[in-house]
Amino acid sequence: MPAQMPAVVVDGLENQFRLLKVWEAPDRDAFMREVASEVRGVALGGHTKVDAAFMDRFPKLEIVSSFGVGYDYIDAAEAGRRGIMVTNTPDVLTDEVADLTVGLLIATVRQLPQVDRYLREGRWLEKPYPLTATLRGRKVGILGLGRIGKAVARRLEGFGLPISYHGRNRQADVSYDYYPTLAGLAEAVDILISVAPGSAETDKIVNAEVFRALGPDGIFVNVGRGSVVDEPALIEALRSKTILSAGLDVFADEPRVSKELIDMEHVVLLPHVGSASVETRRAMGQLVVDNLVSWFAGKGPLTPVAETPHRR
Ligand code: NAP
Ligand code: 8YV
């Protein structure tokens, strides 16, 4: 375990395996060198980078069990070429992240954190808070209509909002309008929600052209990955009122958040808390453990990523 993980993972693995807690070693690099030849599994948290150089260090490595559904910090294609299994934690967090996304959207449109600050500062005593924008009458576009994207769409259907989406493929199980280009989607909607994974393909695809297409009433919400957005272009679009506002749970260089965003009153910023409830983080941790237990019991992985499919 290179970085500290929740107790459910530490305890669950200590019960079953010899757990090497790299983060507790006074000299982590020396400790890694010392134990590298024995390591057969890695429990990965804290978005530790797993690239070819990392894999080179562990000649007997069979499986990387990662905490989180997104695994953009793992070179999974390289793991696949080496026959190393990679697992993630899908599904157990879908509803939690979808709930948070809807909360963030409402908070952004109705300015809930700003309104809360207004009351605490005693300003209600002077005059009522100014009127805000509305969700009513808006169209929603989802970038990345996967597990979480669909759960967000189902919730927003209940709000009476029409949904459309962009991804590489049309989804067979939904009847929402599909847009083959992201700019086309942005042009057609006034709320754009990104739930797409980080990858070379998605890097900075939400760019200045997309913000221009979204337009001056446009709201951008990002719960996917910060790398999907050209962040300087987002800041410029917010500064110039090319779009109305943004609600962000993910950023380009976490946990550092650009001062320009922090200084803007018309954005809502969350410190990557989409899945961060006690119950959901526990379920994610348990799945990290269960993948390793299943693998070393010879039963295969429970939730392998697409790049390392399990062949029995
Ligand atoms: P998923 O089921 O794999 O869905 C991902 C969606 O993104 C798919 O519909 C996929 O559709 C689309 N996509 C992939 N590559 C694309 C590309 N190049 N261009 C456009 N669309 C693309 O994953 P999920 O479980 O919904 O999770 C989605 C992401 O949410 C994770 O990868 C993670 O980054 C993020 N996340 C964030 C939090 C948080 O705390 N903020 C929590 C959990 C997850 P196509 O294959 O058709 O393109
Ligand atoms: C986690 C996430 O907070 O699952 C993901 O992809 O982004 C979040 O659920 C994160 O991966 C753990 O640090």
Side-chain angles (χ1 to χ4, degrees), residues 134-156:
T134 179
L135 265 189
R136 297 300 95 214
R138 284 181 176 270
K139 296 184 189 133
V140 177
I142 297 183
L143 166 59
L145 196 76
R147 289 169 292 238
I148 299 170
K150 283 175 188 159
V152 171
R154 281 194 298 274
R155 283 159 176 71
L156 294 181

Side-chain angles (χ1 to χ4, degrees), residues 69 145-148 168-169 195 197 201-202 223 225 249 272 274:
V69 66
L145 196 76
R147 289 169 292 238
I148 299 170
R168 292 165 302 183
N169 308 292
V195 205
E201 261 191 333
T202 59
V223 295
R225 281 290 181 265
D249 187 44
H272 199 146

Side-chain angles (χ1 to χ4, degrees), residues 141-145 165-167 182 185 192-196 205-206 228:
I142 297 183
L143 166 59
L145 196 76
Y165 69 100
H166 165 71
L182 176 54
L185 175 69
L192 179 64
I193 301 177
S194 178
V195 205
I205 58 174
V206 181
V228 174

Side-chain angles (χ1 to χ4, degrees), residues 30-299:
F31 180 69
M32 291 254 265
R33 271 197 305 280
E34 206 178 294
V35 299
S37 64
E38 302 169 66
V39 170
R40 292 173 61 204
V42 167
L44 200 74
H47 292 202
T48 306
K49 188 169 170 189
V50 174
D51 55 9
F54 181 100
M55 296 175 221
D56 282 346
R57 301 178 80 160
F58 305 105
K60 293 192 186 143
L61 183 60
E62 296 171 32
I63 179 168
V64 176
S65 178
S66 182
F67 183 86
V69 66
Y71 52 95
D72 39 310
Y73 41 89
I74 302 174
D75 188 343
E78 178 59 24
R81 281 190 286 278
R82 293 172 185 230
I84 296 170
M85 177 57 60
V86 176
T87 62
N88 62 346
T89 61
D91 301 316
V92 293
L93 46 57
T94 296
D95 286 326
E96 197 74 75
V97 181
D99 290 348
L100 188 283
T101 307
V102 174
L104 177 56
L105 171 60
I106 297 172
T108 305
V109 176
R110 300 297 306 276
Q111 305 180 358
L112 298 188
Q114 297 92 323
V115 175
D116 177 272
R117 289 199 288 272
Y118 187 88
L119 181 150
R120 288 168 197 275
E121 287 162 8
R123 298 169 64 194
W124 189 14
L125 297 167
E126 297 157 20
K127 57 179 179 185
Y129 190 82
L131 304 182
T132 68
T134 179
L135 265 189
R136 297 300 95 214
R138 284 181 176 270
K139 296 184 189 133
V140 177
I142 297 183
L143 166 59
L145 196 76
R147 289 169 292 238
I148 299 170
K150 283 175 188 159
V152 171
R154 281 194 298 274
R155 283 159 176 71
L156 294 181
E157 273 191 76
F159 283 65
L161 304 177
I163 314 287
S164 40
Y165 69 100
H166 165 71
R168 292 165 302 183
N169 308 292
R170 193 184 286 273
Q171 303 288 321
D173 55 346
V174 296
S175 57
Y176 310 132
D177 288 343
Y178 172 69
Y179 285 81
T181 68
L182 176 54
L185 175 69
E187 188 71 53
V189 300
D190 35 33
I191 291 171
L192 179 64
I193 301 177
S194 178
V195 205
S199 71
E201 261 191 333
T202 59
D203 194 55
K204 299 186 181 63
I205 58 174
V206 181
N207 56 21
E209 182 197 0
V210 171
F211 293 124
R212 273 195 302 277
L214 196 54
D217 285 330
I219 310 274
F220 175 62
V221 171
N222 191 7
V223 295
R225 281 290 181 265
S227 62
V228 174
V229 182
D230 179 344
E231 210 169 85
L234 170 62
I235 290 165
E236 177 51 26
L238 287 162
R239 202 194 51 72
S240 61
K241 300 198 180 344
T242 302
I243 64 169
L244 186 66
S245 62
L248 309 171
D249 187 44
V250 289
F251 301 88
D253 184 25
E254 298 175 9
R256 285 159 292 276
V257 175
S258 123
K259 183 164 178 338
E260 283 109 317
L261 287 173
I262 288 175
D263 287 346
M264 280 178 187
E265 190 50 25
H266 62 313
V267 295
V268 177
L269 309 175
L270 306 181
H272 199 146
V273 292
S275 65
S277 72
V278 173
E279 287 75 6
T280 295
R281 286 288 172 84
R282 190 183 297 128
M284 292 161 65
Q286 190 59 53
L287 190 47
V288 169
V289 173
D290 293 346
N291 266 299
L292 288 165
V293 170
S294 178
W295 177 262
F296 287 112
K299 296 180 187 162

